[in-house]
Every structure is written in structure tokens, then in C-alpha cells.
Amino acid sequence: MLFSTRAATADLARTLAAAGTPTRAAGARAYMKSDLDFFGVTVPFIRRAARAFVRRHPDLSRAQLLALVRALFATSNFEQRQLAAVLLE
């Protein structure tokens, strides 16, 4: 299967958005004093999402992973950036 950074970024954003709550997002944004967008997702969920992604893409090359991480970090969403960092772990 051909890997698409754009499709993977969109899929991960949908996964995070579906798991978040507006109340948690508002609280996290206030706590972090950030202008970034928040979905309101927990760190354990982000870690599970990263593990699930890696399991679904066992043949992901280093270049593909780095392209995905750059795309996730280029967003204005805190959790997507956090997921990028977790994927690098």
C-alpha cells in the first residue's frame, strides 16, 4: 500500500478530534496559556493512537515517518504536535 503523508495526517487528526472533549480542550488551552488549538485528548490516548498507527504501518520508512512528523507539527493543534513527538519515541 502506498503511504500518503496527507492522508495519514488527516486520519490522525480525525482520530484525535473524535476522542477529545470541548471541556478538556478549553481547560488544557487555559492551563497551557497557549494560542494553539486543542482537541481535548488525554496523553494516554495519544500514546495509544501512536502505537496503533505504527502497528498499521510496519513498513513505514524513516523518511516517511519524518515527513509525517513534520506535517503533524506544522499544524496549529497541540495534540497533533504532541503525537508527532510520541511517534519519534
Side-chain angles (χ1 to χ4, degrees), residues 30-31 42 46 66 69 85:
Y31 176 78
T42 65
I46 291 171
L66 292 176
V69 165

Side-chain angles (χ1 to χ4, degrees), residues 3-70:
F3 180 78
S4 165
T5 300
R6 181 176 291 154
T9 303
D11 181 50
L12 289 166
R14 281 190 299 274
T15 298
L16 293 173
T21 65
T23 302
R24 184 172 175 82
R29 185 173 190 191
Y31 176 78
M32 299 292 288
K33 296 180 174 98
S34 174
D35 290 334
L36 293 174
D37 299 320
F38 287 78
F39 288 132
V41 180
T42 65
V43 172
F45 183 85
I46 291 171
R47 292 188 183 284
R48 284 193 303 274
R51 282 192 302 270
F53 179 83
V54 169
R55 279 194 303 275
R56 285 192 314 271
H57 299 89
D59 297 330
L60 196 66
S61 71
R62 178 179 173 81
Q64 290 169 325
L65 173 63
L66 292 176
L68 176 61
V69 165
R70 285 185 191 102

